[in-house]
Amino acid sequence: MSYFKPAVPSTLPKGAPPVRHYLQFSDFSTEEYGYLLERAAFIKQKFKTFQRHQPLVDRTLAMIFEKASTRTRVSFEAGMYQLGGSVVHLTTGDSQLGRSEPIEDSAKVISRMTDIVMIRTYEQSKLESFAKHSRVPVINGLTNEFHPCQILADIFTYIEHRGPIEGKTVAWVGDGNNMANTWLQAAAQLGFHLRVSTPSGYEVNEVTAAAPASMGAGSYKTYSDPMEACAGADLVTTDVWTSMGYEAENEVRRKAFAAWCVDRKMMAAAAPSALFMHCLPAHRGEEVEAEVIDGPQSVVWDEAENRMHVQKALMEYLLLGKQ
Ligand code: CP
Ligand code: NVA
């Protein structure tokens, strides 16, 4: 029997950038967002015109879900196949993650056999531990604190419909949750104004959400009255009152959030060209009136579809750098 040496312990091609992760919106610079958004438009156009774009042949995406998902799973899975790669899907229940294998060990093993990892989990710290021990790029597919892929898709969708978001006004109505925290980072990074209206006790987490001061000119202001937050806004957006992991608070939240339902009056107070967005899944009659989410200002279906296009650009960028 002869001996053989281990192969070079990296799956990245020669000349590829060092391993980068996408754990929160502030992980990328304004300039990188400029590139990514343009690239997503290019990749979307190719896909829509049936032109093959397969830079990730033989590469594998591991998707780890500790919470439920429809859009994130479908968009990452379909997107990776379209890029020429393949996908491994893991959940807490059907892997050793649910049987207390340390996250560090899971990261070391999974990142030896796959090329890029997407994780949906609870605490941001868990995602960070995984990334710290991963040899390959890790993407945040939603944590209690942040949902950067969704905001990337939302911004792409805004630009598709209305042009640059810089200098525009975005109104967030509802819970100060992972989506709201990420909007806060995006405002700082991309230079738009964010108005945040949450019920008292459900404010955004300024500590985790605030981007470093050096990140740019974006600003945000809090409003106790959601109508006031919507007045003249270019985009009105909301999310469920009870996020995954907070189900025990459902009844208390229903009462606290009763005045934070995006209705036709709020949309009428916004700019005449205002768009409505919701990351979905939505509860009509709770955080949004059916007439708004199913109305002419709503772009929620484009927003959902665009998850796939922006994430294709994101995976390509993390693995191959600028093209
Ligand atoms: N918006 C979003 O992330 O949806 P899923 O929970 O269905 O993935
Ligand atoms: N804030 C919601 C978003 C779902 C996509 C949650 O965390 O459940």
Side-chain angles (χ1 to χ4, degrees):
M1 277 285 233
S2 59
Y3 288 92
F4 51 88
K5 289 189 177 147
V8 180
S10 166
T11 54
L12 292 179
K14 248 188 167 161
V19 172
R20 294 269 309 272
H21 304 297
Y22 191 55
L23 307 184
Q24 49 187 299
F25 203 89
S26 57
D27 283 346
F28 285 170
S29 68
T30 309
E31 186 272 326
E32 283 178 302
Y33 279 114
Y35 166 78
L36 263 184
L37 293 162
E38 289 278 347
R39 187 69 182 167
F42 169 81
I43 288 173
K44 179 173 181 178
Q45 176 62 18
K46 280 195 106 173
F47 180 69
K48 292 290 181 187
T49 52
F50 289 80
Q51 295 176 67
R52 193 170 285 181
H53 179 66
Q54 301 199 320
L56 300 185
V57 171
D58 286 342
R59 299 300 119 194
T60 305
L61 164 71
M63 302 193 295
I64 302 171
F65 284 98
E66 298 212 287
K67 290 176 177 172
S69 167
T70 297
R71 278 144 291 270
T72 302
R73 172 155 186 197
V74 176
S75 58
F76 269 105
E77 189 157 341
M80 190 54 171
Y81 284 125
Q82 289 162 21
L83 291 170
S86 55
V87 178
V88 175
H89 177 253
L90 295 165
T91 65
T92 313
D94 66 13
S95 68
Q96 301 289 5
L97 288 161
R99 297 182 62 253
S100 314
E101 180 166 15
I103 197 80
E104 295 80 2
D105 293 1
S106 304
K108 285 175 189 166
V109 170
I110 292 167
S111 70
R112 283 209 177 208
M113 292 185 250
T114 62
D115 303 279
I116 187 161
V117 181
M118 188 286 307
I119 306 179
R120 168 167 288 195
T121 188
Y122 291 86
E123 298 79 21
Q124 182 77 8
S125 56
K126 201 166 176 186
L127 177 76
E128 281 164 8
S129 300
F130 190 104
K132 202 171 151 199
H133 295 91
S134 170
R135 282 183 170 183
V136 301
V138 176
I139 298 173
N140 181 346
L142 181 146
T143 57
N144 291 348
E145 287 88 346
F146 298 114
H147 197 4
C149 293
Q150 183 66 56
I151 302 300
L152 188 57
D154 293 4
I155 286 162
F156 181 85
T157 307
Y158 185 86
I159 297 169
E160 268 191 328
H161 284 269
R162 296 284 183 265
I165 197 162
E166 202 180 340
K168 295 286 185 347
T169 298
V170 176
W172 175 266
V173 175
D175 191 17
N177 62 14
N178 42 14
M179 285 289 295
N181 290 338
T182 312
W183 271 113
L184 233 78
Q185 289 196 339
Q189 207 86 333
L190 301 180
F192 56 86
H193 306 290
L194 184 67
R195 297 177 179 168
V196 182
S197 181
T198 66
S200 158
Y202 298 95
E203 290 85 2
V204 281
N205 184 341
E206 293 182 38
V207 177
T208 51
S214 60
M215 285 291 183
S219 62
Y220 83 99
K221 198 173 165 192
T222 54
Y223 293 76
S224 50
D225 179 0
M227 273 297 277
E228 213 183 306
C230 292
D234 299 294
L235 168 62
V236 177
T237 182
T238 188
D239 186 13
V240 290
W241 290 341
T242 305
S243 286
M244 291 180 278
Y246 299 84
E247 289 79 1
E249 300 173 18
N250 207 12
E251 280 315 306
V252 179
R253 283 172 171 264
R254 266 175 198 271
K255 292 191 186 96
F257 282 82
W260 276 263
C261 170
V262 177
D263 57 15
R264 281 162 288 179
K265 278 191 206 150
M266 289 185 199
M267 289 310 293
S273 62
L275 298 175
F276 171 77
M277 289 190 196
H278 188 311
C279 66
L280 306 175
H283 299 87
R284 289 168 176 77
E286 290 191 14
E287 74 274 6
V288 61
E289 238 182 20
E291 289 79 358
V292 170
I293 192 167
D294 300 319
Q297 287 166 287
S298 171
V299 290
V300 296
W301 313 121
D302 289 341
E303 189 188 352
E305 179 192 324
N306 283 333
R307 285 289 301 278
M308 184 174 82
H309 305 300
V310 298
Q311 289 161 192
K312 284 170 74 178
L314 174 65
M315 290 191 283
E316 183 193 65
Y317 181 60
L318 287 172
L319 284 174
L320 303 176
K322 285 183 187 166
Q323 298 301 294

